[in-house]
Amino acid sequence: AQSVAQPEDQVNVAEGNPLTVKCTYSVSGNPYLFWYVQYPNRGLQFLLKYITGDNLVKGSYGFEAEFNKSQTSFHLKKPSALVSDSALYFCAVRDSNAGGFKTIFGAGTRLFVKA
Amino acid sequence: EAGVTQFPSHSVIEKGQTVTLRCDPISGHDNLYWYRRVMGKEIKFLLHFVKESKQDESGMPNNRFLAERTGGTYSTLKVQPAELEDSGVYFCASSLLGLAGGEQYFGPGTRLTVT
């Protein structure tokens, strides 16, 4: 069965410091991996995805994520956090071998960036 | 381009009543998905439409939930009769046909409270 784990309910970081939001996954086949962000009273917005190719993917707003197959991880990173990055972040996975579009999400990690 | 819209934004109903949620996807998006997030937990997949056809409804909790997508445009999700555990935020998302690796576009959600 597919699953996603976001081990931290909240991540606190000072503005200007690097940030990491962790995600590990489990699928039986090859994963399609996604990060979404949710701002208050808004729907989820797509940040970046890994489908195939280079393990380091770059996305919106300066975010990037690294696919690590051996550790089944897809951690979200940013070199220098902004206060405006404070939001709820969701990691998600699809099993590319399952033939469908069913997406499994994690429980979310709240990022708080302090000025 | 208009995004995914959902109506209503909030709904408070009593146990045993009926509620219908509506989702209008982005024009031209044949894939439509419903998800639910219970407070603080993961976003759970409910079902997936391709045009008017249900492709995967494995996430629907029980037969009190009925989703339709007549004509392949907007979709409704009806809960009848509502129970306390149905409370949560219901998200709708859409994506282009044929792209299993494609990102989804989310609506702002409908917050359902069953009292």
Side-chain angles (χ1 to χ4, degrees):
Chain A
Q2 303 168 57
S3 66
V4 173
Q6 294 183 242
E8 302 151 317
D9 291 335
Q10 181 165 313
V11 170
N12 298 305
V13 64
E15 187 174 34
N17 283 0
L19 69 88
T20 298
V21 182
K22 296 179 180 177
C23 172
T24 59
Y25 66 90
S26 175
V27 294
S28 56
N30 293 317
Y32 290 156
L33 293 155
F34 304 82
W35 276 101
Y36 289 85
V37 59
Q38 185 184 23
Y39 298 100
N41 301 314
R42 304 285 295 276
L44 279 70
Q45 295 177 33
F46 169 76
L47 271 182
L48 51 79
K49 65 182 178 183
Y50 171 82
I51 303 300
T52 187
D54 194 346
N55 289 346
L56 182 65
V57 293
K58 295 185 183 296
S60 307
Y61 312 120
F63 284 93
E64 59 188 29
E66 186 164 14
F67 169 59
N68 188 316
K69 188 172 183 177
S70 63
Q71 297 186 4
T72 62
S73 67
F74 190 57
H75 302 330
L76 181 69
K77 300 183 179 186
K78 186 173 182 180
S80 179
L82 300 172
V83 172
S84 57
D85 293 330
S86 298
L88 187 56
Y89 291 80
F90 291 94
C91 181
V93 67
R94 280 186 209 144
D95 186 342
S96 66
N97 292 4
F101 288 60
K102 184 175 182 177
T103 305
I104 305 301
F105 284 83
T109 298
R110 187 163 298 280
L111 174 65
F112 180 71
V113 181
K114 184 177 180 181
Chain B
E1 177 186 271
V4 178
T5 58
Q6 293 186 245
F7 182 82
S9 56
H10 294 83
S11 180
V12 181
I13 61 172
E14 293 183 353
K15 177 182 172 180
Q17 289 186 322
T18 297
V19 64
T20 300
L21 314 181
R22 172 169 170 145
C23 169
D24 286 78
I26 292 173
S27 177
H29 281 194
D30 289 327
N31 289 307
L32 187 148
Y33 314 81
W34 283 99
Y35 295 90
R36 177 174 71 179
R37 185 174 192 235
V38 174
M39 180 72 73
K41 307 233 174 181
E42 69 274 15
I43 298 172
K44 282 205 162 183
F45 169 87
L46 296 179
L47 87 160
H48 168 220
F49 284 99
V50 175
K51 298 184 181 179
E52 67 275 9
S53 299
K54 292 176 187 174
Q55 293 295 112
D56 183 347
E57 51 185 329
S58 61
M60 294 288 263
N62 50 59
N63 59 10
R64 295 186 294 103
F65 289 74
L66 176 64
E68 295 180 321
R69 193 182 182 196
T70 306
T73 54
Y74 71 91
S75 175
T76 58
L77 179 65
K78 180 161 66 174
V79 185
Q80 178 182 31
E83 299 288 346
L84 298 179
E85 64 264 25
D86 300 333
S87 296
V89 180
Y90 289 77
F91 292 103
C92 174
S94 69
S95 69
L96 289 168
L97 183 67
L99 295 178
E103 61 269 27
Q104 296 173 21
Y105 296 81
F106 281 77
T110 294
R111 182 175 297 278
L112 175 64
T113 303
V114 182
T115 63

